[in-house]
Amino acid sequence: MTITHGSPEPTVTETNPIPAPTDRIRTPKSAPPDVVRCAYMELVVTDLAASREFYVDVLDLVVTEEDENAVYLRSFEEFIHHNLVLRKGPVAAVAAFAYRVRTPEDLDRAVEFYTELGCRVERRADGFTKGVGDSVRVEDPLGFPYEFFYEVEHVERLAWRYELYTPGALVRIDHFNQVTPDVPRAVAYMEDLGFRVTEDIQDEAGTTYAAWMRRKPTVHDTAMTGGDGPRMHHVAFATHEKHNIIAICDKLGALRRSDCIERGPGRHGVSNAFYLYLRDPDGHRVEIYTQDYYTGDPDNPVVTWDVHDNQRRDWWGNPVVPSWYTEASTVLDLDGNPQPLTTRTDDSEMDVTIGADGFSYTRKDDEPQGFKLGAQL
């Protein structure tokens, strides 16, 4: 697949169109664990009370359990113990991107897979967090702290508890988004782990700026975004409808918390989903997300967007604020230390589309209109 001047917008292909990486992570001979879905994130926060107030009192996540050092939260349709852990610590960061696997035996496969890759691997029979049993944590080849687990404490699923619902109820955890310097390298590794590409962003030279990858049959369980990394771009929770997202915006306005809104509400071109990006008291980015599409067929096609297409990030062509491209959360190693960053050497998406020499378009043959095209800063 090559994006050309006359290409459809976007381009649809039957197979993964992302160029092969120049520095590929080798494929293990060991079978990967069978990942079912993204399941929870463990965030380190510097002010536990302020973070609890944001996620519980403002965003209405449900407290499963808490103590003086941690708060365990879940969404309304969840039946496992938690989707988000807020843990008090000295530096705001991400301690784990956690995935549920299909069987207990998949934990053995995770150990074998990552040991063969030469990664640091730790396993705890009683889990790393409350409510989760036998678990494996790794420092993966990209520098991210991944967790794999099967055994989990079940709690009440609140899907039928309509008396508890609020206008902006968060019903599921949907995905992670990770910042990494070499997107094709990250994609090849994630494909070895069993993930599949659903959408990506490229330019005419084949430079890949981001890729969306899934295990469950939605657009993604995680995305790889090009930038200095490893860092966490955002964690996303789903609502039932887009009016739930508008209700969250109204609530934030009523509470005089509109400064938490970084970007949106709007609709993405990539994923087709309605979105809102928020920043929590530590600056961790949270997306509220709804109405993407089914991807579960074995021949689900891949959608590739031109990096200059003004509608790829926002279907309505609205500007993307610079912080969305430049700021992201630190991730930790298994000892709790911040991971060092590797600088991206490929082109920056912000620079090629909204920087001094960048450009964007709504229709390829149009002249720029200064209020929108090429003037997004």
Side-chain angles (χ1 to χ4, degrees):
M1 191 283 303
T2 301
I3 296 172
T4 65
H5 182 74
S7 295
E9 303 172 83
T11 302
V12 178
T13 53
E14 297 303 316
T15 57
N16 174 12
I18 296 173
T22 56
D23 182 22
R24 197 188 199 287
I25 297 164
R26 62 185 179 85
T27 301
K29 295 179 181 178
S30 303
D34 187 355
V35 174
V36 174
R37 59 166 173 137
C38 69
Y40 82 84
M41 177 170 281
E42 182 180 345
L43 286 179
V44 179
V45 299
T46 59
D47 186 331
L48 188 59
S51 293
R52 186 193 190 282
E53 190 264 344
F54 177 79
Y55 286 101
V56 177
D57 298 337
V58 177
L59 293 185
D60 298 309
L61 285 173
V62 178
V63 177
T64 301
E65 190 172 351
E66 61 185 319
D67 56 36
E68 66 275 12
N69 294 312
V71 182
Y72 298 82
L73 304 172
R74 72 184 192 274
S75 51
F76 271 79
E77 292 185 354
E78 189 57 81
F79 71 93
I80 70 172
H81 187 267
H82 56 263
N83 299 131
L84 184 67
V85 180
L86 307 175
R87 189 176 304 284
K88 185 178 180 180
V91 178
V94 179
F97 300 75
Y99 292 96
R100 187 96 191 266
V101 296
R102 196 166 303 279
T103 69
E105 292 73 28
D106 282 300
L107 298 182
D108 298 329
R109 296 185 184 98
V111 170
E112 293 168 1
F113 183 85
Y114 283 100
T115 298
E116 188 176 340
L117 282 172
C119 297
R120 181 178 174 185
V121 179
E122 290 190 4
R123 186 171 186 173
R124 292 187 186 176
D126 56 353
F128 294 84
T129 64
K130 291 183 179 181
V132 176
D134 190 9
S135 306
V136 173
R137 282 195 178 182
V138 305
E139 292 174 15
D140 86 348
L142 306 178
F144 292 98
Y146 268 18
E147 176 178 311
F148 303 93
F149 71 95
Y150 174 78
E151 181 184 342
V152 69
E153 178 183 333
H154 287 197
V155 294
E156 181 186 5
R157 176 177 268 158
L158 301 174
W160 297 271
R161 294 291 304 276
Y162 290 105
E163 79 278 13
L164 301 177
Y165 274 61
T166 59
L170 306 183
V171 294
R172 289 180 298 279
I173 188 170
D174 191 84
H175 63 266
F176 309 135
N177 188 302
Q178 303 169 236
V179 183
T180 190
D182 187 336
V183 174
R185 185 171 186 262
V187 166
Y189 149 65
M190 293 298 286
E191 287 183 320
D192 287 344
L193 190 55
F195 285 69
R196 294 183 59 185
V197 176
T198 57
E199 302 201 25
D200 70 301
I201 296 174
Q202 295 187 36
D203 62 17
E204 292 183 5
T207 302
T208 307
Y209 296 86
W212 285 254
M213 308 191 75
R214 63 92 177 169
R215 285 295 298 173
K216 68 182 185 303
T218 62
V219 171
H220 55 321
D221 286 275
T222 196
M224 295 294 174
T225 295
D228 299 350
R231 292 181 295 164
M232 186 275 286
H233 192 273
H234 63 264
V235 59
F237 289 87
T239 65
H240 278 145
E241 300 286 348
K242 58 182 177 290
H243 67 76
N244 303 122
I245 290 178
I246 294 170
I248 292 170
C249 293
D250 283 340
K251 181 176 182 179
L252 288 166
L255 295 172
R256 288 286 170 173
R257 298 286 295 269
S258 60
D259 55 346
C260 295
I261 300 174
E262 180 187 34
R263 182 179 164 212
R267 186 176 293 281
H268 286 308
V270 176
S271 82
N272 196 43
F274 203 80
Y275 72 85
L276 174 70
Y277 291 97
L278 307 175
R279 303 293 286 271
D280 80 0
D282 280 295
H284 295 308
R285 184 180 288 108
V286 182
E287 182 182 17
I288 315 300
Y289 181 96
T290 192
Q291 297 182 337
D292 63 348
Y293 59 90
Y294 172 79
T295 62
D297 283 15
D299 55 351
N300 181 73
V302 179
V303 180
T304 297
W305 296 80
D306 184 345
V307 71
H308 300 294
D309 187 340
N310 200 43
Q311 296 185 195
R312 73 196 183 285
R313 292 293 189 182
D314 185 278
W315 187 239
W316 308 333
N318 286 326
V320 180
V321 295
S323 62
W324 194 90
Y325 284 115
T326 60
E327 297 177 11
S329 295
T330 298
V331 302
L332 303 178
D333 64 20
L334 298 188
D335 294 320
N337 301 311
Q339 287 280 32
L341 298 184
T342 299
T343 302
R344 177 174 168 87
T345 57
D346 288 339
D347 288 339
S348 154
E349 183 176 349
M350 183 175 77
D351 290 343
V352 301
T353 57
I354 62 176
D357 298 320
F359 71 94
S360 60
Y361 66 82
T362 300
R363 293 167 297 275
K364 281 187 176 179
D365 296 328
D366 280 3
E367 292 295 321
Q369 300 175 38
F371 69 90
K372 182 165 284 190
L373 303 184
Q376 299 188 60
L377 294 183

